[in-house]
C-alpha cells in the first residue's frame, strides 16, 4: 500500500504564495511520476502540474510562469510552489503519484487533498 500525506494549504491574499508538499511512503520500488490536480467547487478535478522520474515537467496553461513543481527523490516528496496566486486558483489540491509496487504491479495513488483559498 502506498500512502500520500499532503500539507501546505491555507488562506492567502491575491498575489501571495503557498507551497504544497506531498510525501509518499509504503511498499513501492519506483515512482514514475508525481503530480498535482485541483478541484474547485462544482467543477471537475483538473490537472495542474506533473514531474516525471527524470525531472521533466508539465503544467496546465493557467499556471505556467506562476507555479513550479519539484521533487526530492531521497524523501519521495513532491512540492508545488504557487506564486502570484489568483482567486481562480482556489480549490482543493490533490497529490497524485504513480509507480511500481514491490509486487511489480503498478500503483496510482491520491492524497487526501489540501484546501487552497485565495482571497480577492
Amino acid at each position: 500500500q502506498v500512502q500520500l500525506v499532503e500539507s501546505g494549504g491555507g488562506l492567502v491574499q491575491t498575489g501571495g504564495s503557498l507551497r504544497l508538499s506531498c510525501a509518499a511512503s509504503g511498499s513501492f520500488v519506483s515512482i514514475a511520476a508525481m503530480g498535482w490536480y485541483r478541484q474547485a467547487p462544482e467543477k471537475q478535478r483538473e490537472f495542474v502540474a506533473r514531474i516525471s522520474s527524470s525531472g521533466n515537467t508539465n503544467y496546465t496553461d493557467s499556471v505556467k510562469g506562476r507555479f513550479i513543481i519539484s521533487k526530492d527523490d531521497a524523501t519521495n516528496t513532491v512540492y508545488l510552489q504557487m506564486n502570484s496566486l489568483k482567486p481562480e486558483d482556489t480549490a482543493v489540491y490533490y497529490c497524485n503519484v504513480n509507480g511500481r509496487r514491490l509486487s511489480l504491479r503498478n500503483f496510482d495513488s491520491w492524497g487526501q487533498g489540501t484546501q487552497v483559498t485565495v482571497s480577492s
Side-chain angles (χ1 to χ4, degrees), residues 11 13 15 22 26 31 36 49 53 71 81 83 86 92 96 99:
L11 172 64
Q13 291 185 333
C22 173
I31 290 176
W36 293 93
S53 58
K71 64 185 176 77
Q81 178 66 45
N83 302 318
K86 305 175 181 179
V92 177
N96 173 255

Side-chain angles (χ1 to χ4, degrees), residues 6-114:
E6 301 179 26
S7 61
L11 172 64
V12 65
Q13 291 185 333
T14 296
S17 298
L18 284 174
R19 189 193 196 204
L20 306 183
S21 301
C22 173
S25 63
S27 302
F28 55 90
V29 294
S30 63
I31 290 176
M34 309 177 86
W36 293 93
Y37 290 71
R38 66 186 180 187
Q39 188 167 17
E42 300 182 359
K43 291 189 176 180
Q44 290 189 336
R45 189 173 299 188
E46 65 171 357
F47 167 77
V48 176
R50 175 184 180 272
I51 185 166
S52 71
S53 58
S54 61
N56 291 326
T57 58
N58 300 97
Y59 299 91
T60 191
D61 287 345
S62 63
V63 307
K64 285 180 181 177
R66 300 189 297 123
F67 291 10
I68 301 171
I69 189 170
S70 62
K71 64 185 176 77
D72 182 340
D73 291 335
T75 60
N76 297 313
T77 300
V78 61
Y79 303 96
L80 186 68
Q81 178 66 45
M82 305 185 293
N83 302 318
S84 302
L85 283 161
K86 305 175 181 179
E88 50 264 44
D89 294 318
T90 295
V92 177
Y93 284 69
Y94 296 91
C95 172
N96 173 255
V97 176
N98 57 78
R100 186 157 293 183
R101 300 179 190 276
L102 290 176
S103 65
L104 301 185
R105 290 186 176 183
N106 294 333
F107 72 88
D108 185 74
S109 295
W110 292 87
Q112 79 280 6
T114 185

